[in-house]
Amino acid sequence: MNAPRRTSKLAIVGAGAVGSTLAYAALARGTARTVALMDVDRAKVEAEVLDLRHGGMFVPQAEVLGSDDVEVVRGADVVVVTAGAKQKPGQTRLDLAEATIALTRKILPGLVEVAPDATFLMVTNPVDVVTYAAQQISGLPPERVFGSGTVLDSSRLRAAIAEHCGVAVGNVHAYVGGEHGDSEIALWSAATIAGVPLLEWPSLPGRPPLDAAARESIARDVVESAYRVIAGKGATNYAVGLAVTRIVEAVLNDEHRVMPVSTRIDDFYGIDDVCLSLPTLVDSRGATTVVPIPLSDAELVGMRASATSVKAVQQRFGL
């Protein structure tokens, strides 16, 4: 592994609930030496920066910048794009596509101009379609433009499995694949608890079995959980902020970490020309290699259906 960069700059485009929470999480974790926020709302971004700076003595040392001018992004190592239409209660992520793709077309060329060597991480929903559009618009190698994908969904899945089985979440390895949205699927065939294949997990004393009904309930809960958060408080921000911070760290620290980010899929069990989430190697080069994991016939059908769903939206917007 390469040594971490001596200096590092994280730029976050969009100072809304997700962007500002991401900046907070990155500062608290010491993710980057410089954290720069950009937003069209100058008063908002300046207030967020001031608030973050006021906590400077309680976190690892870092410089916090903010502006409505794209120059604040110049020289960034990683650019995270969170700007986009806000998801309202009852709206699906795919409903947001049109406004968000238009915004991506408007802002991305300027970001690439000031940070030509950066890795670009798309977070705005619908993230798979937005990532595909961003790859086309930017002209950058696909590994340097990828989406946050189902990293958060996989965290939700692991937490639910751990609670059901009575083990620590760190002992659970499981991924959600496909679209970050309603057609996503839990990849049970590749899941393990403490090295034991999940489908062979013997229930611990006093714990319910992890049978097909339990797995179906857990998977449904993972899909619906974001809608519950949005219905109750208007946005998801804490968990996604933490999830994206870990992706950024995998790039800045060249961690070679396997994460289910949204990347361009070509020739994967007949799936191609679409951005979807599968376990992928993430390091200083970006999202590089999709890890070939075992899939059951049912999971493969689900992945293909998810790809079809995302592709339909791509085609609707001429991508």
Side-chain angles (χ1 to χ4, degrees), residues 292-310:
I293 60 168
L295 293 176
S296 69
D297 289 345
E299 288 163 357
L300 188 51
V301 168
M303 284 294 298
R304 286 174 174 158
S306 198
T308 299
S309 173
V310 175

Side-chain angles (χ1 to χ4, degrees), residues 34-252:
T34 301
V35 175
L37 268 171
M38 176 189 162
D39 196 283
V40 292
D41 186 339
R42 184 173 179 177
K44 173 78 159 69
V45 73
E46 288 180 350
E48 293 289 2
V49 167
L50 200 58
D51 200 5
L52 290 165
R53 283 178 180 166
H54 290 163
M57 69 173 287
F58 309 114
V59 299
Q61 187 171 351
E63 182 180 21
V64 186
L65 308 173
S67 178
D68 58 350
D69 188 334
V70 73
E71 276 297 318
V72 78
V73 175
R74 184 170 292 279
D77 298 295
V78 176
V79 178
V80 180
V81 180
T82 71
K86 187 176 179 182
Q87 189 171 1
K88 298 170 184 171
Q91 259 191 328
T92 70
R93 295 180 178 102
L94 294 182
D95 290 336
L96 301 172
E98 188 169 12
T100 301
I101 290 169
L103 180 63
T104 303
R105 287 191 196 282
K106 180 180 177 183
I107 66 173
L108 193 56
L111 296 171
V112 174
E113 187 176 335
V114 296
D117 299 320
T119 297
F120 286 79
L121 177 56
M122 311 305 293
V123 178
T124 311
N125 283 316
V127 70
D128 305 292
V129 176
V130 170
T131 299
Y132 188 89
Q135 289 180 350
Q136 289 194 339
I137 295 161
S138 70
L140 295 172
E143 64 270 16
R144 284 179 49 203
V145 184
F146 64 99
S148 51
T150 57
V151 173
L152 173 54
D153 311 76
S154 298
S155 174
R156 290 168 174 152
L157 177 65
R158 293 183 187 196
I161 292 170
E163 184 177 358
H164 184 90
C165 295
V167 298
V169 70
N171 292 127
V172 179
H173 277 78
Y175 297 104
V176 172
E179 174 204 359
H180 172 56
D182 296 342
S183 69
E184 67 188 29
I185 58 167
L187 303 178
W188 300 112
S189 299
T192 62
I193 301 176
V196 178
L198 186 138
L199 297 177
E200 300 171 16
W201 177 252
S203 300
L204 298 178
R207 306 302 302 189
L210 190 61
D211 54 17
R215 295 195 302 273
E216 184 180 342
S217 175
I218 287 171
R220 186 169 58 250
D221 187 63
V222 168
V223 172
E224 294 173 354
S225 58
Y227 293 123
R228 290 204 302 274
V229 174
I230 291 166
K233 60 177 250 184
T236 59
N237 60 312
Y238 296 123
V240 68
L242 289 167
V244 174
T245 301
R246 288 299 295 114
I247 302 170
V248 171
E249 289 169 357
V251 176
L252 290 178

